[in-house]
Amino acid sequence: LSHGIGKQSVYNSVYGVVDAVNNCPSLDLNADGVKFPSHEEQKIIAAGFREKSGADFDKIILALDGMLVWTIQPTIKDCRRLKMGARVFHCYRKDKYGYLLLAGVDHKCRFRWIDIRHPSSTSDWVGWNSSKVGKELTEDEGSDLVLPFHTLAGDNAFVENMTMATPIPGTKLSTVEDAYNFYLSQIRITVER
């Protein structure tokens, strides 16, 4: 207890604030209340990443990664409401309870897209593929969400496709492949800051 208030009461209040923020259009991450940067914004972001790139990468519109947001162990009531057991909220690698936060940032480290709907046991790849944006980009070949020939930059937790650039896996890489990984990392590290 802190000042006579239990931890769960504090968390419930935080959830109320998060819901209020999520429902306030003036606090959206992008112009015009859209949930993903517009094509005009993507051009600006790609130019910004190009300035940061030692290899002149000029088609990257977001750096994407996942992280654990710590919480307390969910109550039985919360688990029933969510129709999930408490174990799925436990990250065994870090021995913490929480949620998976997937975030896409621009060249200035500003959040431009987020998804925090999954428990911490969810992999970045599964969380991405089940997000609205991830589904559209992996399942809809005709999607115009991302500018043609542009891409997001992710780490090896994601799968490379036409809209996701990831490092080339392996240890026996050619000089060109190793350079590609280095320069992609130079861009992707923006989301780690």
Side-chain angles (χ1 to χ4, degrees), residues 58-73:
D58 64 349
K59 303 291 186 206
I60 296 175
I61 60 147
L62 287 180
L64 184 69
D65 202 5
M67 72 168 262
L68 169 66
V69 177
W70 295 356
T71 63
I72 60 171
Q73 179 177 350

Side-chain angles (χ1 to χ4, degrees), residues 43-162:
K43 290 175 187 175
I44 294 166
I45 295 167
F49 276 131
R50 181 181 190 175
E51 289 179 17
K52 293 180 175 294
S53 172
D56 226 15
F57 286 174
D58 64 349
K59 303 291 186 206
I60 296 175
I61 60 147
L62 287 180
L64 184 69
D65 202 5
M67 72 168 262
L68 169 66
V69 177
W70 295 356
T71 63
I72 60 171
Q73 179 177 350
T75 65
I76 293 171
K77 180 181 172 185
D78 288 335
C79 290
R80 285 186 185 137
R81 181 176 54 83
L82 297 168
K83 298 179 182 159
M84 296 180 195
R87 280 192 209 166
V88 298
F89 290 92
H90 189 251
C91 175
Y92 289 92
R93 189 169 54 88
K94 296 184 179 179
D95 197 24
K96 301 281 183 195
Y97 286 92
Y99 287 88
L100 169 65
L101 166 68
L102 289 171
V105 301
D106 66 15
H107 61 291
K108 294 183 178 180
C109 300
R110 295 178 298 192
F111 287 94
R112 303 305 298 266
W113 175 83
I114 59 170
D115 183 281
I116 189 165
R117 298 177 301 117
H118 297 284
S120 63
S121 63
T122 308
S123 71
D124 292 359
W125 181 79
V126 168
W128 169 250
N129 280 347
S130 61
S131 72
K132 185 176 179 182
V133 169
K135 275 185 182 179
E136 181 173 338
L137 293 179
T138 56
E139 296 175 6
D140 182 0
E141 290 183 20
S143 172
D144 67 347
L145 190 61
V146 173
L147 279 168
F149 308 108
H150 285 66
T151 185
L152 290 80
D155 60 17
N156 282 329
F158 299 94
V159 175
E160 184 170 344
N161 61 39
M162 293 302 290

